[in-house]
């Protein structure tokens, strides 16, 4: 036992002496860093792996670094050059000459999708922009085309013009003054005529934008404003099962309605007083239809009729000068918008089958409390039956629901369709809704019907609660593609796609809504002798239903030819 202890003790002492000796052998390493043409490289990174000491090369490429280990590894790095690893020790001859070679990396081929065929960039004619999946997903959003804003050159986005059936996008600027400006949208080789909001951006693999006359040679006159070709994601042969889960939440601050500078309330009142003095409102004042007039004009009328003293009228008008309607809109109407998006994608493949399956859920709440929900299901399968025959089938189902919110600043009309006067108040200090002049003069509403009609005042702050405006859409796309390889050069394709989009709209004005009360009162008959009230339009709510159906059939028979010999290639398409 004593002998074993002595052996262990001796071994530990030897190891300790070796370690101490290795660490005490400090020495200086000198060298110069050059590129292949013997040009010195300045500010190259130099590091010793074991000693963990660092330095950089000087003006002429020279460097000096201290090693604390007898044997060490010198690491030399420079941007754009391959890393060098050089073993060094105390016996190495210095200075060391380090020559760095350029770092080469193969470029990924850019594939242009035209909707009829896939071409390499160098073999395609015309002007185009190709957006791959990585670049496309640098932005988040519900709209498939909204993500193109800011990452695509030659593209102009007009968000005010964008709607369910208008992209609001112009390719290479304005192409027409009065005609349609939207480009043609191609989804998986066929023009897409449905609601663009149906497409889930998480299902997009790439987008190609065709910009010039070359696009018209492919798609005809419909390509006059350009073409946006959208290719969705699919599985690949011999691909392991891949599962992707994407979740993002976007919170956007409520809009700054103070950014613009419309006419102030005081200046607006000055204009009203000037126009009243010139007799501009006389026709409206004397009209038997009693069209609505602003509160300032009503005060001026009472002043002119002697109903109020000039001092009282001036005091009330001056109080209105200090009111800005944007204050109430900012306080009661607008809020931060929240967009939530979730997507689950699975795909894989063997040597005979490829498959792709995805599901998405979106839930948005706008700055005006409008709600939007979307559910998408997408499936793609390809079967390689033999060396000649291949079958692909796809199914895409989308359901989205829209619910209206409040009316924002500039959306509320008053005084016969004119914009809301800037000194309007939507709520009192306690948040209770206040009426706003809408269709008729206030003095008329106070006396008409001897108090037996429904309340004819318009309360913007509460009215949206009594209007349920919903739009539901169901979109189904089914596709089938048959490929037959005739020989090495010839391939025949047969494609078909069916789309069925149903839209159901429903607007329910409950009995408390201004729309329902206005319709009922407008047709109500009052017998002033007996006091009997006859409601030609029964008291209650008003329901407005709408239905639309979009059904499309697209088919294509195509023959592809590709032949390569020596340094030449010939490609053709017929169909």
């Amino acid at each position: 036992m004593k002998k074993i202890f002595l052996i262990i003790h001796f071994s530990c002492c030897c190891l300790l002496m070796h370690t101490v000796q290795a660490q005490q052998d400090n020495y200086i390493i000198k060298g110069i860093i050059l590129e292949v043409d013997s040009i010195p490289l300045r500010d190259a990174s130099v590091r010793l792996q074991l000693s963990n000491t660092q330095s950089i090369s000087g003006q002429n490429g020279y460097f000096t670094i201290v090693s604390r280990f007898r044997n060490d590894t010198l690491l030399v790095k420079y941007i754009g050059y391959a890393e060098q690893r050089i073993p060094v020790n105390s016996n190495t001859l210095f200075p060391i000459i380090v020559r760095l070679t350029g770092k080469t990396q193969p470029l990924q081929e850019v594939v242009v999708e035209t909707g009829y065929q896939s071409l390499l960039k160098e073999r395609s004619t015309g002007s185009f922009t190709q957006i791959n999946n990585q670049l496309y997903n640098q932005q988040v959003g519900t709209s498939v085309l909204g993500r193109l804003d800011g990452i695509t050159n030659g593209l102009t986005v007009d968000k005010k013009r964008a709607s369910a059936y208008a992209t609001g996008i112009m390719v290479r600027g304005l192409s027409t003054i009065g005609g349609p400006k939207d480009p043609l949208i191609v989804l998986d080789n066929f023009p897409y005529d449905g609601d663009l909001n149906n497409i889930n951006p998480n299902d997009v693999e790439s987008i190609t934008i065709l910009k010039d006359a070359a696009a018209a040679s492919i798609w005809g006159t419909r390509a006059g404003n350009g073409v946006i070709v959208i290719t969705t994601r699919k599985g690949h042969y011999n691909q392991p099962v891949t599962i992707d889960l994407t979740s993002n939440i976007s919170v956007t601050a409520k809009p700054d309605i103070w950014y613009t500078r419309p006419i102030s309330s005081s200046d607006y009142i000055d204009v009203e007083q000037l126009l009243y003095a010139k007799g501009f409102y006389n026709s409206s004042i004397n009209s038997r239809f009693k069209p609505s007039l602003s509160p300032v004009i009503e005060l001026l009328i009472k002043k002119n009729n002697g109903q109020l003293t000039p001092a009282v009228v001036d005091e009330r008008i001056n109080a209105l000068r200090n009111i800005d309607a944007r204050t109430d809109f900012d306080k009661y109407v607008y809020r931060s918008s929240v967009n939530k998006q979730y997507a689950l994608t699975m795909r894989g493949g063997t040597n005979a089958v490829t498959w792709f399956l995805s599901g998405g859920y979106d839930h948005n709440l706008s700055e005006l409390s409008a709600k939007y929900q979307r559910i998408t299901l997408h499936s793609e399968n390809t079967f390689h039956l033999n060396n000649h025959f291949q079958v692909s089938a796809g199914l895409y189902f989308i359901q989205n629901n829209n619910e209206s919110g409040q009316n924002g600043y500039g959306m509320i009309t008053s005084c016969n369709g004119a914009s809301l006067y800037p000194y309007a108040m939507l709520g009192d200090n306690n948040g209770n809704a206040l009426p706003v002049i809408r269709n008729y003069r206030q003095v008329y509403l106070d006396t008409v019907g001897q108090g037996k009609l429904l309340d004819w005042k318009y309360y913007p702050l509460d009215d949206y609660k009594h209007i349920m405006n919903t739009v539901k859409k169901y979109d189904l796309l089914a596709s089938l593609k048959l490929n037959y390889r005739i020989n090495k050069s010839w391939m025949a394709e047969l494609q078909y796609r069916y789309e069925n989009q149903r839209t159901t709209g429903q607007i329910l004005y409950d009995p408390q809504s201004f729309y329902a009360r206005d319709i009922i009162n407008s047709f109500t008959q009052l017998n002033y002798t007996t006091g009997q009230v006859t409601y030609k339009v029964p008291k209650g709510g008003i329901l407005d239903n709408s239905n639309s159906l979009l059904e499309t059939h697209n088919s294509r028979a195509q023959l592809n030819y590709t032949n390569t010999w020596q340094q030449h290639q010939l490609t053709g398409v017929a169909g």
Side-chain angles (χ1 to χ4, degrees), residues 194-262:
D195 185 356
L196 296 174
N197 294 321
N198 289 343
I199 306 173
N200 187 351
N202 293 296
D203 289 337
V204 174
E205 180 67 31
S206 66
I207 292 181
T208 302
I209 301 176
L210 310 178
K211 301 179 179 180
D212 59 1
S217 67
I218 301 173
W219 290 100
T221 57
R222 297 185 65 182
N225 296 327
V227 182
I228 298 179
V229 182
I230 302 174
T231 304
T232 59
R233 304 173 69 182
K234 297 173 178 62
H236 302 284
Y237 289 110
N238 299 315
Q239 179 187 27
V241 177
T242 303
I243 301 177
D244 296 327
L245 178 62
T246 303
S247 174
N248 58 72
I249 300 177
S250 303
V251 180
T252 305
K254 57 184 178 181
D256 183 12
I257 58 177
W258 305 94
Y259 179 78
T260 58
R261 293 187 176 182

Side-chain angles (χ1 to χ4, degrees), residues 1-244:
M1 182 69 181
K2 184 175 181 181
K3 182 178 180 180
I4 295 175
F5 174 75
L6 291 175
I7 293 174
I8 296 175
H9 178 71
F10 177 76
S11 301
C12 292
C13 289
C14 292
L15 180 61
L16 180 61
M17 291 175 63
H18 177 74
T19 303
V20 172
Q21 183 180 7
Q23 292 182 347
Q24 289 178 349
D25 290 340
N26 293 348
Y27 56 94
I28 298 176
I29 300 174
K30 297 181 179 181
I32 182 173
I33 302 175
L34 307 172
E35 62 174 345
V36 290
D37 296 332
S38 299
I39 299 177
L41 293 176
R42 180 183 176 182
D43 296 332
S45 174
V46 181
R47 185 172 69 88
L48 288 169
Q49 187 173 7
L50 295 179
S51 302
N52 198 25
T53 54
Q54 298 184 7
S55 180
I56 59 174
S57 59
Q59 179 71 31
N60 297 320
Y62 287 97
F63 69 91
T64 301
I65 192 170
V66 178
S67 174
R68 296 183 289 107
F69 290 88
R70 176 178 299 175
N71 298 303
D72 209 332
T73 301
L74 185 69
L75 305 178
V76 181
K77 296 181 180 179
Y78 195 79
I79 297 176
Y81 291 82
E83 178 183 338
Q84 287 272 17
R85 303 172 67 92
I86 305 172
V88 295
N89 55 55
S90 57
N91 298 324
T92 303
L93 295 178
F94 302 113
I96 300 175
I97 299 178
V98 181
R99 295 185 183 274
L100 298 182
T101 58
K103 185 179 181 181
T104 60
Q105 184 176 358
L107 296 177
Q108 185 178 3
E109 292 184 335
V110 177
V111 178
V112 179
E113 298 286 348
T114 67
Y116 279 89
Q117 58 182 160
S118 300
L119 297 174
L120 296 179
K121 178 181 178 180
E122 63 272 13
R123 300 188 183 279
S124 59
T125 61
S127 176
F128 63 89
T129 298
Q130 208 275 342
I131 308 297
N132 58 27
N133 185 263
Q134 182 179 3
L135 179 60
Y136 183 72
N137 287 321
Q138 287 182 0
Q139 301 194 80
V140 296
T142 305
S143 171
V144 67
L145 297 181
R147 295 192 183 187
L148 297 178
D149 188 14
I151 64 173
T152 309
N153 57 0
L155 203 70
T156 304
V157 180
D158 184 0
K159 296 182 179 180
K160 293 183 179 180
R161 193 169 57 87
S163 64
Y165 297 98
T167 63
I169 290 179
M170 292 186 294
V171 177
R172 277 196 167 181
L174 185 66
S175 59
T176 178
I177 297 178
K181 304 176 180 65
D182 294 330
L184 173 66
I185 306 299
V186 177
L187 176 65
D188 287 338
N189 303 328
F190 285 110
Y192 181 72
D193 299 315
D195 185 356
L196 296 174
N197 294 321
N198 289 343
I199 306 173
N200 187 351
N202 293 296
D203 289 337
V204 174
E205 180 67 31
S206 66
I207 292 181
T208 302
I209 301 176
L210 310 178
K211 301 179 179 180
D212 59 1
S217 67
I218 301 173
W219 290 100
T221 57
R222 297 185 65 182
N225 296 327
V227 182
I228 298 179
V229 182
I230 302 174
T231 304
T232 59
R233 304 173 69 182
K234 297 173 178 62
H236 302 284
Y237 289 110
N238 299 315
Q239 179 187 27
V241 177
T242 303
I243 301 177
D244 296 327

Side-chain angles (χ1 to χ4, degrees), residues 490-501:
W490 293 92
M491 174 181 286
E493 289 185 0
L494 183 62
Q495 301 182 60
Y496 171 77
R497 188 171 75 185
Y498 169 76
E499 180 181 6
N500 184 301
Q501 178 180 281

Side-chain angles (χ1 to χ4, degrees), residues 381-401:
N381 295 275
T382 302
F383 305 93
H384 190 75
L385 303 181
N386 52 50
N387 293 333
H388 296 276
F389 201 55
Q390 179 176 285
V391 179
S392 300
L395 192 64
Y396 207 156
F397 174 76
I398 306 102
Q399 174 186 337
N400 62 49
N401 300 328

Side-chain angles (χ1 to χ4, degrees), residues 434-482:
L434 294 177
V436 170
I437 304 300
R438 184 66 180 266
N439 294 342
Y440 302 101
R441 293 182 58 183
Q442 187 61 46
V443 293
Y444 172 73
L445 298 180
D446 292 339
T447 58
V448 66
Q450 299 178 350
K452 295 184 180 182
L453 299 179
L454 301 178
D455 184 7
W456 217 333
K457 297 177 181 179
Y458 174 53
Y459 302 86
L461 207 58
D462 282 345
D463 194 61
Y464 83 99
K465 300 177 183 177
H466 305 289
I467 302 175
M468 183 61 66
N469 186 354
T470 60
V471 178
K472 296 182 179 181
K473 293 183 180 180
Y474 303 89
D475 197 358
L476 176 66
L477 289 93
S479 61
L480 181 65
K481 182 178 180 180
L482 307 177

